[in-house]
Amino acid sequence: MKREMTGAEMVIQAMVDHGVDTIFGYPGGAVLPIYDEIFQQDKVRHVLVRHEQGAGHAAEGYARSTGKVGVMLVTSGPGATNAVTPLADALLDSIPIVCISGQVATHLIGNDAFQECDTVGITRPCTKHNWLVKRIEDLPRILHEAFYVATTGRPGPVVVDIPKDIQFTRGVYTGPQNVVHKTYRPRLKGDIDAIRQAVELMAKAERPVFYTGGGVINSGKAASQLLRELVELTGFPITSTLMGLGAFPASDPKWLGMLGMHGTYEANLAMHDCDLMINIGARFDDRITGRLDAFSPGSTKIHVDIDPSSINKTVKIDLPIIGDVAHVLEDMVRLWRASGERNDPAKLAAWWKQIEGWRAKKSLAYKRRRDVIMPQYAIERLYELTKDKDVYITTEVGQHQMWAAQFFKFEEPNRWMTSGGLGTMGYGLPAALGAQMAHPDSLVIDIAGDASVQMTMQEMSSAIQYGLPIKIFILNNQYMGMVRQWQQLLHGNRLSHSYTEAMPDFVKMAEAFGGVGMRVEKPDELDDAIREMISVKAPVLFDCRVANLANCFPMIPSGKAHNEILLGDDFTDDELEDVIDEEGKMLV
């Protein structure tokens, strides 16, 4: 397709050609030509956020819940700099985002013009790739390349920076047919000899474990199905990173739970003592590995990843397989079926017996209280009352995030959206907004902390404007909970600025926005309140008052090995509470 149109028209046409139905953005002088085109068409919806950070996280929520690309639109200068946090977030978590940013006119670039900044320079470290469009002739190609780069290989965010005069200039638009980047061509099929070698190692292993990550989910639902098939065929135990939850069903007995700093005892000990580690779509980040020189010291390590730069980046790999997870798993399943070799049943049974011994520790156990809602109990009840619904979960970052990962059980991929690599407080509310736009008839819940949720609370206004009935389930403990936990356990109980005084009344805040506010303080009130929250067809702020001083266990202290994991019963109540009074304030 070739047609003459303005640069602004090209942007919208490219969205249509790439199947984009929703853009999250905030207008400003340098993108007004594009906003004028949005006004004159009805093929692409625009969601007006209240801050550019919200636009980025909403695009992430949309992308993560659909498997499609998320799109954000921001103006120059502060609009672009406000987009840096979600761009960095998407890069670390491999979320496909196309960010269109306006820029001052080409003749003003470099002159410190009003709302000018070096967007390409600022976003280079936090994007997969970025472009500054200098000629109208290049705009169609760059737009198409942007979608190609964002969605292929290891997904990630890209930025297309378009000067205002380019948006007004007329040129010839060409469609996205056969778009291939000159140098970026990800490898999809894994080396078949390496995959065959992996299958041979799997068949000889005595203590194997599958270690899976977000790459399984990014590879599509076929990858998750193939993973389930391979685990069923082999009978191996499986664990996952925070980003990989849902790729394998939590109800399956071969599921060991989440791995890492706040992962289960059995998952971490299995990783430490295994003789074969099969890493599928994970990147050996520090929250998983702990102390590198003590990380799974006796294991042979297989690593399946589409990103060659992830291979041997932090952990030495014995057998790398570069390729898309779905393609590699398909070959693994086929070769395993064809292979006559199988694991020694007695040795595999002994491995499972050892794992069951670790599982018997019940590392997620916690003490219930009749008078106060324990945060773990709140998540358990939320799960039980929503597990039969079409539910999507987002989170903020902190203790509540880890409790959600531990106690909310995911059976399917794309249902869990959280900030893993960057750990961005404020992610969950706008991400819920994006997920709800993508799934208007589904139940979307942001499991939040009272500190995190205030970072992007203004996006409640967007939820009201667009009639998005998101539920913000706040575990309100009056603290920056994870900060307090670290200070308490690792910094001599010196609670420096982690007690959040002057906390807003979340019920009144919800009502001020035009939503619904709810508060619950007693365990026996919780179920009815959750049912009411679910039934409300409007945005809800649910203020769940939980135990102030509950800590999140298990916990591997930073820099420690998997077998140095701490459990909740490693500490007495006196050790955890000796500097806090009954009202949760630090004693002086």
Side-chain angles (χ1 to χ4, degrees), residues 131-266:
W131 297 261
L132 171 62
V133 182
K134 297 179 179 177
R135 306 185 317 144
I136 189 65
E137 293 82 2
D138 297 329
L139 181 57
R141 172 185 58 81
I142 288 173
L143 288 167
H144 302 321
E145 281 186 5
F147 281 91
Y148 173 79
V149 172
T151 57
T152 57
R154 178 182 174 182
V158 299
V159 168
V160 180
D161 198 34
I162 311 175
K164 191 170 183 178
D165 57 319
I166 299 294
Q167 298 172 41
F168 280 122
T169 303
R170 299 190 70 81
V172 176
Y173 176 83
T174 53
Q177 295 79 11
N178 301 317
V179 174
V180 178
H181 194 275
K182 291 180 182 177
T183 57
Y184 178 66
R185 299 182 185 181
R187 179 175 179 174
L188 297 180
K189 294 287 287 184
D191 180 82
I192 195 65
D193 290 332
I195 298 173
R196 185 173 288 109
Q197 188 179 347
V199 169
E200 290 171 0
L201 287 170
M202 288 162 60
K204 294 174 182 175
E206 297 179 4
R207 301 186 308 280
V209 67
F210 284 112
Y211 154 39
T212 60
V216 181
I217 292 172
N218 286 338
S219 187
K221 292 188 176 173
S224 294
Q225 291 302 319
L226 287 163
L227 176 65
R228 296 167 191 222
E229 187 175 354
L230 185 60
V231 173
E232 184 63 31
L233 287 169
T234 60
F236 294 176
I238 179 171
T239 181
S240 164
T241 67
L242 180 73
M243 297 304 295
L245 297 178
F248 190 83
S251 60
D252 193 293
K254 287 178 282 298
W255 171 246
L256 304 185
M258 184 179 70
L259 173 72
M261 180 171 281
H262 291 288
T264 65
Y265 188 75
E266 55 268 31

Side-chain angles (χ1 to χ4, degrees), residues 41-75:
Q41 57 82 51
D42 58 5
K43 294 181 179 178
V44 180
R45 297 176 296 181
H46 178 274
V47 177
L48 176 66
V49 295
R50 271 43 178 180
H51 190 284
E52 289 87 356
Q53 180 182 350
H57 295 324
E60 286 187 275
Y62 179 96
R64 191 72 176 174
S65 67
T66 61
K68 301 195 296 185
V69 67
V71 180
M72 61 186 297
L73 176 60
V74 300
T75 194

